[in-house]
Amino acid sequence: MADLISGFKMFGKAPYEQVDSRVFTEVIIDGIRNEEKIYGPVFTATLIKYALRAVAKLTGEEPSKEIKTLDELAEYLISKSDKYPPYYIVIWAQFVTEKKLEGHLGAGERVMDIGISKRVMASDGDLRSELIKGDLGNVILKFYQTVVELKIAPLEMGYKKNEDGTVDVLHRDCFLLDGCQLSLNASLSKRPDGRQVCGFAASACQYLRKATGHDWDYTVLVFDKPHCIAKCYTL
């Protein structure tokens, strides 16, 4: 496994073993609100329907009252955190809903990523100053420090700069790994060109965009326990 992380500059480990389920669920819900602006109320209603179906299938339980809003859905899912990770349900429902409406993960997924990143970057100030003080590594470090503070980060993260200007981002023991595998098995978490979706790589790209003024995208290079690696590059 040492060969896999050769050449990567690794940051310190997160000071916790479990993520904050409430914070991460709310961050994802923020991203979904962005999608609602594009698709309208039908998107939210459909997503809630699929989320509740998933809960019923997993637990055999139905909500005691009708759930109509994303805030109500978040509270209901978080109340069941002892039975399953609520963020898994939200992400699963988002994948299913977008594929129902678009046929694949496309523009909506990118809009969701932007919405999620807005919440994460809200207190980070001028990321361009981080770039000026050092290099792209400082921006990736700032991203990791922020998600650690929110208690939604993988246990460890690092980066490697490449000669062609791209940046490889590595994260270890990501708590989304099992959910990503389930989504891949169900052919849900792939973009139109077949590339795999990765929420953390997408958020890192939004940080790089804010710091450099250029759009960034990513391609997952390694997806396996305990490491994932994504290549980030300018468009």
Side-chain angles (χ1 to χ4, degrees):
M1 194 61 66
D3 289 340
L4 184 62
I5 61 175
S6 175
F8 281 85
K9 181 175 181 179
M10 303 302 294
F11 306 134
K13 295 181 180 179
Y16 53 79
E17 293 297 326
Q18 299 294 327
V19 299
D20 189 316
S21 292
R22 171 174 288 278
V23 172
F24 191 61
T25 301
E26 291 175 349
V27 166
I28 298 170
I29 291 291
D30 283 348
I32 291 171
R33 293 187 208 281
N34 244 30
E35 285 196 272
E36 186 179 43
K37 296 175 183 178
I38 293 178
Y39 297 111
V42 64
F43 185 87
T44 299
T46 305
L47 184 143
I48 290 173
K49 177 181 70 175
Y50 283 116
L52 296 180
R53 282 185 183 178
V55 174
K57 184 176 181 180
L58 288 170
T59 68
E61 299 178 6
E62 301 283 350
S64 58
K65 63 178 183 178
E66 187 176 7
I67 293 177
K68 295 183 177 181
T69 70
L70 290 173
D71 288 335
E72 291 171 347
L73 176 66
E75 287 302 320
Y76 177 66
L77 296 180
I78 292 167
S79 73
K80 305 295 181 183
S81 294
D82 60 325
K83 298 182 178 180
Y84 56 79
Y87 40 86
Y88 275 15
I89 301 296
V90 178
I91 293 172
W92 174 273
Q94 187 268 340
F95 284 163
V96 173
T97 301
E98 191 171 329
K99 290 199 75 172
K100 290 288 184 181
L101 294 179
E102 279 199 28
H104 52 70
L105 300 185
E109 179 66 24
R110 186 164 178 80
V111 168
M112 180 180 174
D113 292 339
I114 293 172
I116 289 173
S117 300
K118 284 181 180 178
R119 167 77 176 266
V120 176
M121 291 191 291
S123 61
D124 278 345
D126 184 7
L127 287 175
R128 294 196 185 203
S129 65
E130 297 294 331
L131 182 61
I132 293 169
K133 285 189 293 186
D135 55 28
L136 292 177
N138 282 9
V139 180
I140 301 297
L141 173 59
K142 183 64 175 178
F143 165 64
Y144 187 61
Q145 289 173 335
T146 301
V147 291
V148 165
E149 290 172 3
L150 291 171
K151 295 188 70 175
I152 61 173
L155 294 185
E156 194 170 2
M157 189 171 177
Y159 74 96
K160 179 173 66 175
K161 294 188 296 181
N162 302 310
E163 292 182 358
D164 60 0
T166 63
V167 181
D168 292 348
V169 177
L170 179 151
H171 48 275
R172 183 181 69 81
D173 291 335
C174 177
F175 57 90
L176 288 175
L177 186 63
D178 291 337
C180 287
Q181 187 62 68
L182 288 171
S183 296
L184 282 173
N185 292 344
S187 299
L188 286 175
S189 57
K190 288 191 175 181
R191 293 185 275 180
D193 59 7
R195 286 182 297 158
Q196 183 178 346
V197 169
C198 174
F200 282 106
S203 293
C205 284
Q206 290 301 317
Y207 259 66
L208 291 167
R209 180 191 62 79
K210 185 175 181 180
T212 65
H214 301 293
D215 284 334
W216 288 70
D217 199 0
Y218 67 92
T219 297
V220 176
L221 302 178
V222 175
F223 173 70
D224 198 6
K225 293 182 179 179
H227 296 85
C228 292
I229 298 175
K231 182 179 293 295
C232 299
Y233 52 88
T234 55
L235 296 175

